[in-house]
Amino acid sequence: MKKITIKTELDAFDSLLEMTKADQELMAQAKIACSKAYAPYSKFKVGAALLLENGKIILGNNQENAAYPSGMCAERVAIWKAHSDYPDVKMLKMAITIQAEKQVIKSPVPPCGACRQAIAEYEVKQETPIEIFFMGEEGAIYKTASLANILPLVFDKDML
């Protein structure tokens, strides 16, 4: 037996002001999407903004349903809408932000496991990484250059 070590590297920004203007704008779009989320049950709103290679920004937010688990996460809403509307256009960057009614979240909130798998599908399909920025309501913003950094052992088409 041997041990395998997997390391993850993320960039951490102390504030939005440390980011490029374009990345700040992408995060601002994620905040707009977040404000429109439908989260009457969890009271935990999530917004995502996805920058495409053609310059379009696609927004998504979480959509809950009384019949759990019929709802959908913001990241998957955005990524599937992007592919539905622009199937041959590469996805470059995604910004994710949250707003919780019960408390102020001060640490970055990454995509859930199901969203990581969905994002991984498109990184593999387009053969290029998707940068992901994620934050809480306050505090640091994390950036990963690829979904593979936060889901290093991805399940993909080659395993089928």
Side-chain angles (χ1 to χ4, degrees), residues 39-61:
Y41 308 106
S42 71
K43 310 291 188 208
F44 191 86
K45 294 182 174 186
V46 182
L50 182 62
L51 175 65
L52 304 182
E53 190 174 47
N54 64 4
K56 301 277 186 192
I57 295 176
I58 306 298
L59 303 182
N61 46 46

Side-chain angles (χ1 to χ4, degrees), residues 2 9 19 25 27 33 36 46 68 74 93 95 103-104 107 109 118 124 145 156:
K2 63 180 178 179
E9 281 192 21
M19 298 168 62
E25 176 57 28
M27 190 59 76
K36 298 175 183 179
V46 182
Y68 283 157
K93 298 180 182 188
Q103 63 181 338
V104 175
S107 59
V109 177
V124 170
D156 67 22

Side-chain angles (χ1 to χ4, degrees), residues 21-88:
K21 293 288 184 199
D23 292 339
Q24 287 178 38
E25 176 57 28
L26 191 63
M27 190 59 76
Q29 291 295 312
K31 288 182 178 187
I32 290 168
C34 184
S35 72
K36 298 175 183 179
Y38 181 67
Y41 308 106
S42 71
K43 310 291 188 208
F44 191 86
K45 294 182 174 186
V46 182
L50 182 62
L51 175 65
L52 304 182
E53 190 174 47
N54 64 4
K56 301 277 186 192
I57 295 176
I58 306 298
L59 303 182
N61 46 46
N62 57 319
Q63 300 295 311
E64 294 182 350
N65 190 293
Y68 283 157
S70 296
M72 188 54 57
C73 297
E75 299 91 329
R76 284 181 280 163
V77 168
I79 207 161
W80 289 336
K81 179 169 180 25
H83 190 264
S84 175
D85 290 352
Y86 304 98
D88 299 318

